[in-house]
Amino acid sequence: MRQFSLTMVVALMAFLAFGQEVKTEVSQPIPLNPDVKTGQLSNGIKYYIQKNVEPENRMELRLAVNAGSMQETDEQQGLAHFCEHMAFNGTQNFEKNEIVDYLESIGTRFGAHLNAYTSFDETVYMLQAPTDDNEIMDKAFLILSDWAGRVTFEDEEVEKERGVVIEEWRLGQGANERMRKEWFPVVFKDSRYAERLPIGKKDILESFNPKLIRDFYKDWYRPDLMAVVAVGDFDVNEVEKLIKEKFSSIPATKNPKPRVVYDVPAQEGLRISVSSDKEATYPSVRYEFMHPPKPTETVNDLYVEIQTQLISQMLRSRFAEYAASGTTNYSMAFGYYGSQVRAKDQFTMFGIASENAVEGCLKDLMIEAKRIKQHGFEATELERAKVAYMTQVASQLKEKDNTPSRRLVMEYVYHFLSGNPAPGIEFEYNFTKESMNKITVESLNKLATQLLSSKDQVIVITGPEKNGLEYPDAKSIANLAKVVEQLEVEPYVDNTNDEPFLANEPVAGKIVSEKKIEGFNATEWTLANGARIIVKTTDFKNDEILFSASSYGGYSLYELSEKASAQNAASVVDESGIGNFDQTELRKKLTGKRMYLYPYIGAYSEGFQGMSSPDDLETFMQYLHLYFTKPRVDPKALEVFKKQQATFIENQTKSPEGFYAEQYNKIITQNNPWAQWETLETLEKIELDKCLKVFSERFDSPSDFTFYFVGNVNQEYLKSLVEKYLASIPSGTCGEFYKDLGIRPPSGKISATVKKGSEPKSTVSLTFSGKYKASKFNSMAPQALEKALGIKLRQALREDQGGTYGVGCSVRINDVPYHSYTVSIQFGCAPENVDKLIAVALKE
């Protein structure tokens, strides 16, 4: 089960008490989606039920318990999370691991469809099940009701699960956890949150009396703190009957313990935490403005929330523009409003500092906060943000009938747990459209100033501990804050490029042949320049066309001395913009367009990955046309790219996980130079001219590419765009293949031990490889093997041995550069259990 040591940051979904009134009626409560049926059983359990047919014949079930680690006593630390584990280890109607075994037998996958999480304030169980079998539906609700009131907590099962939970605890240990122990009590000073991490304490997990976990379950798994949420392809009235049948027999708790709502006390002034660790991988800076939380109850709260999202959106755009200029002390930065715990909201400015520029990164963040308070945002920035926001909401409305149940079900979970609004997309769209007409740059800047004017502020700096990397101390930071406060900063200047995307309209080419692809309901067009187009119209999404393209070649066709430029050519071109637009101008130009397009150059092929809405398909095709006809490289973009990569490359092997991954890669590729990780030395070998040369050669023409369009495609309209923007490009070099780089796994049995890190934890990788040629008769065998082996290994290593939290298993078939298979198994465990668990895995 997933365990969150911090409540997931719901960026932009916490709302403020301040903000101007729109008009009298906006103080009315936010309505609940009329499509959902709600009710409450006599014992206190609430329920939400909604019919939704995506995916077909499936339902998403949730049991939400409004209790987490904050409800633990000192002796129970970690038992809220342990309690969640035990729900899968025996109930009144399902002994031991029967729940997992039964659900896997009907196609429910442990982890993907069956899971749970525990946080500070809540515990949520998640289950997907079929709805085309009444017996299965009945059992699914029986399982949910057993979790709610009939977990058995047998002593034997508690003892077996200790190992699994401790292994989950072990997974979380490392540099980030050691630094978190330093900064968390500073951010949440004088609060219970600082001392109640859901994973708990290892000594308690190893030794607690099982009575303590039964007491927690009895005290907090009770009807008045629970909700059942069901969304799926079913009859709502029948599901309501099932809920009443399965849950009504759970008795209400007599004389329940009061559920205390714990506060994070407001602090006056600036609090500072600076921590470093020899295994940390990059330096980061967080500048946080703390605010009291406010439930979103009224329409006016929703109006303020929209403005808050616009502020965060504009701030992210500014930071991206500054980073692209190459003049910042950070490689990446962004800002958002959100929360880590229910009892406190935060407006956060976050930056990943460039090497040896930690204090400079903090200064950059502080200056931008000062700039916003002093000058605010520009009207042109706001208009772009409005367009982008409205485009997103409009797309959600178009996809109303294709919204997956998994997304809808969590809206109602958080409506129950935290009071988050769930009015339905029609209300959201209409309200957002109305709000956009009322939001002015003056009112928004007033709100932004309030967000950034809290006297309760925290600065958190973390990063690698090494010679030459300096961190400011608390006194230096306090002095810096005073200096910035006195600065007069220049206002932001919003530069744009108003040129047309294409300076000249291309002359359309021809489609010379068309045929149906039998068995796939797809169409193939061949263009006069040799390109192949595969088109398949689907109705899974209304506002989406998925796109990919590929051609053999890749960087295998270049010399080893050109590897750095060839491998990174697509990234450098992408970072540079396209045509007459640099990356910042391009981002602004495409505001409001639901589309993306990324080129890539791999070892043996090159191509694109992308997506477009039907409405933006012509712009998408113009963008694609420009990559073939007018790619761009920019010296400044190359330096920014190197700077961003260097931040991570510099320290990537400082963590045990990074070092292990690098060593594993060397072993599995026999240290082939074409397969080795990038270093600071190879990064410096990237040359701008070579990047453009490689990209232009790999994408000189669509002639040897195959293009795929799948989604809500109007084929006649697409045909006209293909003729205009792809068939118009002349034929180029065709028939290029790839060169085998000779990357091969070692033969025979290889055993290697890699030692790194200070925590008592190990990672084990078992890899099997050989020759294998897939055919239509055995193409499903690898998938079947992966699923079967994954189930067997989970049962053997986790359930039987209690030796690991989870097992990763993959089976991959490759046809390039030769026909081969690779079976990979990976798990984490205690060092003393490595040999035993390897033996068990090999036996399976």
Side-chain angles (χ1 to χ4, degrees):
M1 273 57 72
R2 293 202 313 264
Q3 174 276 128
F4 295 157
S5 60
L6 300 178
T7 300
M8 291 184 68
V9 175
V10 186
L12 314 176
M13 286 305 292
F15 317 131
L16 304 175
F18 42 73
Q20 59 288 339
E21 293 287 330
V22 182
K23 52 185 179 182
T24 306
E25 60 264 35
V26 298
S27 62
Q28 296 172 353
I30 300 169
L32 185 62
N33 189 342
D35 294 336
V36 65
K37 185 171 188 177
T38 61
Q40 186 169 1
L41 304 181
S42 58
N43 58 12
I45 292 178
K46 295 180 179 178
Y47 59 83
Y48 300 74
I49 310 169
Q50 181 176 335
K51 182 176 178 63
N52 187 65
V53 297
E54 179 57 41
E56 187 179 11
N57 295 326
R58 289 290 184 274
M59 63 180 175
E60 292 286 347
L61 304 182
R62 301 291 184 269
L63 175 68
V65 184
N66 196 21
S69 62
M70 295 295 281
Q71 281 63 58
E72 298 166 343
T73 64
D74 290 344
E75 297 77 17
Q76 291 175 328
Q77 290 183 68
L79 299 197
H81 171 237
F82 204 120
C83 193
E84 167 222 310
H85 273 246
M86 291 305 300
F88 295 83
N89 283 47
T91 66
Q92 180 178 306
N93 292 290
F94 299 88
E95 293 185 357
K96 301 183 184 298
N97 300 119
E98 284 184 4
I99 285 179
V100 177
D101 293 343
Y102 168 73
L103 290 171
E104 286 185 329
S105 75
I106 62 170
T108 297
R109 285 188 290 143
F110 187 67
H113 305 146
L114 174 66
N115 216 321
Y117 77 82
T118 303
S119 73
F120 290 104
D121 296 290
E122 68 215 38
T123 307
V124 177
Y125 295 85
M126 301 170 277
L127 169 61
Q128 184 194 94
T131 58
D132 52 357
D133 185 309
N134 290 335
E135 182 181 350
I136 291 176
M137 285 188 67
D138 186 88
K139 277 198 172 183
F141 281 98
L142 179 62
I143 289 169
L144 219 63
S145 66
D146 269 14
W147 288 338
R150 306 184 196 98
V151 179
T152 51
F153 297 101
E154 295 178 9
D155 286 359
E156 178 187 358
E157 292 300 313
V158 171
E159 294 306 316
K160 284 174 60 178
E161 198 65 18
R162 286 187 200 270
V164 176
V165 176
I166 289 169
E167 288 310 312
E168 187 174 358
W169 170 88
R170 193 185 311 279
L171 278 176
Q173 302 308 297
N176 288 337
E177 174 61 11
R178 291 191 291 269
M179 292 187 293
R180 187 210 57 74
K181 286 179 179 177
E182 295 187 37
W183 65 259
F184 207 70
V186 176
V187 175
F188 299 107
K189 188 172 184 287
D190 299 331
S191 81
R192 189 177 176 91
Y193 286 98
E195 58 188 38
R196 275 296 184 278
L197 290 182
I199 193 61
K201 296 183 176 180
K202 185 171 181 282
D203 58 338
I204 291 177
L205 299 175
E206 290 175 325
S207 62
F208 72 87
N209 187 315
K211 181 181 181 300
L212 287 173
I213 197 169
R214 297 184 191 111
D215 289 344
F216 183 89
Y217 185 76
K218 179 183 176 182
D219 289 339
W220 302 111
Y221 277 61
R222 61 190 204 222
D224 61 301
L225 296 178
M226 290 183 181
V228 179
V229 186
V231 179
D233 188 10
F234 48 51
D235 181 287
V236 169
N237 293 327
E238 290 301 315
V239 167
E240 185 177 36
K241 288 179 184 178
L242 280 171
I243 291 174
K244 290 179 177 179
E245 175 190 328
K246 304 299 182 187
F247 289 87
S248 293
S249 60
I250 299 173
T253 302
K254 296 179 180 178
N255 303 316
K257 282 189 174 183
R259 188 191 183 286
V260 179
V261 176
Y262 294 97
D263 187 24
V264 177
Q267 309 287 335
E268 186 76 21
L270 178 65
R271 303 191 302 286
I272 298 166
S273 173
V274 180
S275 55
S276 61
D277 191 280
K278 61 184 179 182
E279 295 175 7
T281 54
Y282 59 86
S284 70
V285 177
R286 292 218 319 267
Y287 185 26
E288 301 193 330
F289 300 82
M290 313 295 283
H291 296 278
K294 177 166 187 310
T296 310
E297 298 171 344
T298 70
V299 173
N300 187 63
D301 295 332
L302 200 55
Y303 178 71
V304 175
E305 188 267 339
I306 290 173
Q307 294 181 81
T308 306
Q309 293 200 38
L310 292 172
I311 290 167
S312 299
Q313 187 175 313
M314 289 186 290
L315 184 55
R316 288 198 303 273
S317 295
R318 275 196 185 183
F319 279 137
E321 181 173 342
Y322 297 152
S325 72
T327 60
T328 64
N329 292 292
Y330 53 79
S331 58
M332 180 183 73
F334 53 87
Y336 63 91
Y337 191 86
S339 63
Q340 291 174 288
V341 300
R342 273 194 210 172
K344 185 65 70 173
D345 293 347
Q346 298 147 286
F347 191 91
T348 301
M349 288 183 162
F350 176 86
I352 295 178
S354 302
E355 197 73 12
N356 296 316
V358 176
E359 185 168 351
C361 175
L362 174 59
K363 185 177 181 180
D364 286 350
L365 300 182
M366 286 181 164
I367 286 177
E368 198 54 36
K370 175 73 173 180
R371 192 189 323 276
I372 292 170
K373 288 191 289 184
Q374 195 167 322
H375 300 290
F377 292 96
E378 296 296 311
T380 49
E381 291 180 277
L382 176 57
E383 288 310 306
R384 278 198 307 273
K386 285 181 177 181
V387 169
Y389 191 92
M390 200 66 223
T391 298
Q392 181 182 356
V393 177
S395 180
Q396 292 172 5
L397 180 62
K398 291 177 185 177
E399 300 292 5
K400 178 181 183 296
D401 295 334
N402 295 316
T403 304
S405 297
R406 179 181 286 258
R407 176 179 167 185
L408 292 172
V409 74
M410 294 309 295
E411 289 186 13
Y412 303 126
V413 167
Y414 293 125
H415 181 272
F416 167 70
L417 292 170
S418 305
N420 284 7
I425 188 58
E426 290 95 342
F427 177 90
E428 289 182 36
Y429 174 81
N430 290 326
F431 181 77
T432 302
K433 189 175 181 180
E434 178 185 347
S435 298
M436 291 302 173
N437 295 324
K438 299 172 182 173
I439 295 172
T440 65
V441 72
E442 291 78 17
S443 66
L444 185 132
N445 284 336
K446 181 180 178 182
L447 176 59
T449 299
Q450 292 172 318
L451 284 170
L452 296 168
S453 297
S454 170
K455 294 181 180 180
D456 187 353
Q457 299 179 19
V458 185
I459 290 171
V460 176
I461 295 175
T462 61
E465 176 186 309
K466 65 177 186 178
N467 292 333
L469 180 54
E470 297 182 357
Y471 294 91
D473 57 20
K475 182 178 179 180
S476 299
I477 292 171
N479 288 335
L480 177 62
K482 292 177 182 177
V483 169
V484 172
E485 187 59 34
Q486 301 303 315
L487 285 179
E488 285 291 327
V489 298
E490 294 293 320
Y492 168 80
V493 178
D494 190 15
N495 294 317
T496 58
N497 183 343
D498 296 325
E499 293 182 38
F501 211 38
L502 285 180
N504 300 301
E505 289 286 307
V507 178
K510 296 292 184 182
I511 295 175
V512 295
S513 71
E514 178 175 336
K515 67 178 182 179
K516 296 293 182 183
I517 301 178
E518 298 300 328
F520 290 95
N521 194 26
T523 302
E524 178 180 337
W525 302 327
T526 301
L527 309 188
N529 58 16
R532 295 170 64 232
I533 315 293
I534 310 295
V535 187
K536 181 176 174 65
T537 300
T538 66
D539 58 4
F540 301 121
K541 294 284 187 180
N542 294 325
D543 200 33
E544 180 179 273
I545 299 171
L546 298 178
F547 168 81
S548 69
S550 63
S551 169
Y552 282 127
Y555 58 77
S556 69
L557 299 178
Y558 297 88
E559 297 300 320
L560 185 59
S561 60
E562 300 175 294
K563 176 190 171 190
S565 297
Q567 277 186 327
N568 292 288
S571 297
V572 173
V573 168
D574 185 57
E575 190 75 36
S576 299
I578 198 74
N580 295 326
F581 298 86
D582 64 27
Q583 187 60 254
T584 296
E585 293 168 338
L586 181 63
R587 191 180 300 113
K588 293 177 181 180
K589 186 75 172 178
L590 296 177
T591 296
K593 304 292 184 184
R594 284 200 73 247
M595 51 169 279
Y596 64 83
L597 181 64
Y598 300 118
Y600 71 86
I601 299 176
Y604 300 112
S605 66
E606 61 275 341
F608 298 93
Q609 294 291 334
M611 184 279 295
S612 175
S613 72
D615 291 343
D616 297 321
L617 189 56
E618 181 160 19
T619 302
F620 178 89
M621 295 298 290
Q622 292 173 344
Y623 199 179
L624 181 61
H625 178 91
L626 284 171
Y627 269 122
F628 281 105
T629 61
K630 205 171 182 181
R632 170 191 179 111
V633 290
D634 183 337
K636 182 172 62 179
L638 175 58
E639 292 309 308
V640 169
F641 175 75
K642 287 182 178 180
K643 178 180 175 181
Q644 292 172 338
Q645 296 302 304
T647 300
F648 298 98
I649 290 173
E650 173 76 13
N651 303 298
Q652 64 184 340
T653 58
K654 279 188 167 292
S655 73
E657 294 81 7
F659 184 78
Y660 177 88
E662 182 192 44
Q663 297 304 309
Y664 171 81
N665 179 66
K666 287 181 177 180
I667 293 168
I668 206 68
T669 64
Q670 300 189 77
N671 212 20
N672 185 301
W674 282 101
Q676 299 317 302
W677 286 15
E678 200 155 55
T679 65
L680 291 178
E681 290 74 23
T682 59
L683 191 65
E684 287 305 312
K685 292 180 180 179
I686 301 174
E687 299 177 26
L688 196 67
D689 291 343
K690 281 189 179 179
C691 285
L692 182 59
K693 173 181 177 291
V694 170
F695 190 90
S696 298
E697 289 174 352
R698 305 298 352 117
F699 297 92
D700 68 331
S701 167
S703 304
D704 58 349
F705 279 80
T706 302
F707 300 84
Y708 302 86
F709 295 85
V710 179
N712 185 14
V713 182
N714 179 321
Q715 295 199 16
E716 288 304 311
Y717 178 55
L718 177 61
K719 184 180 291 187
S720 67
L721 298 179
V722 164
E723 290 177 328
K724 185 174 183 179
Y725 296 111
L726 285 180
S728 60
I729 304 172
S731 298
T733 304
C734 296
E736 291 179 299
F737 212 49
Y738 53 82
K739 180 177 68 178
D740 190 338
L741 296 174
I743 302 171
R744 298 289 190 276
S747 59
K749 182 178 179 180
I750 304 294
S751 179
T753 300
V754 176
K755 293 188 177 182
K756 179 82 170 178
S758 56
E759 296 289 345
K761 65 177 182 178
S762 296
T763 298
V764 176
S765 296
L766 304 175
T767 306
F768 308 84
S769 58
K771 293 182 178 180
Y772 179 92
K773 186 172 183 178
S775 71
K776 64 181 180 180
F777 298 107
N778 63 11
S779 60
M780 292 298 293
Q783 297 178 45
L785 173 61
E786 180 176 296
K787 291 179 181 178
L789 185 58
I791 290 172
K792 294 292 287 182
L793 289 172
R794 176 188 59 76
Q795 292 171 339
L797 300 181
R798 174 179 166 135
E799 310 302 346
D800 296 343
Q801 298 292 326
T804 185
Y805 173 62
V807 185
C809 179
S810 69
V811 180
R812 295 290 178 265
I813 302 302
N814 298 300
D815 293 322
V816 176
Y818 68 108
H819 299 295
S820 64
Y821 72 85
T822 303
V823 179
S824 299
I825 297 165
Q826 189 171 85
F827 56 87
C829 64
E832 62 269 21
N833 290 334
V834 167
D835 292 339
K836 179 181 71 173
L837 295 182
I838 287 176
V840 173
L842 290 174
K843 182 180 178 181
E844 292 299 329

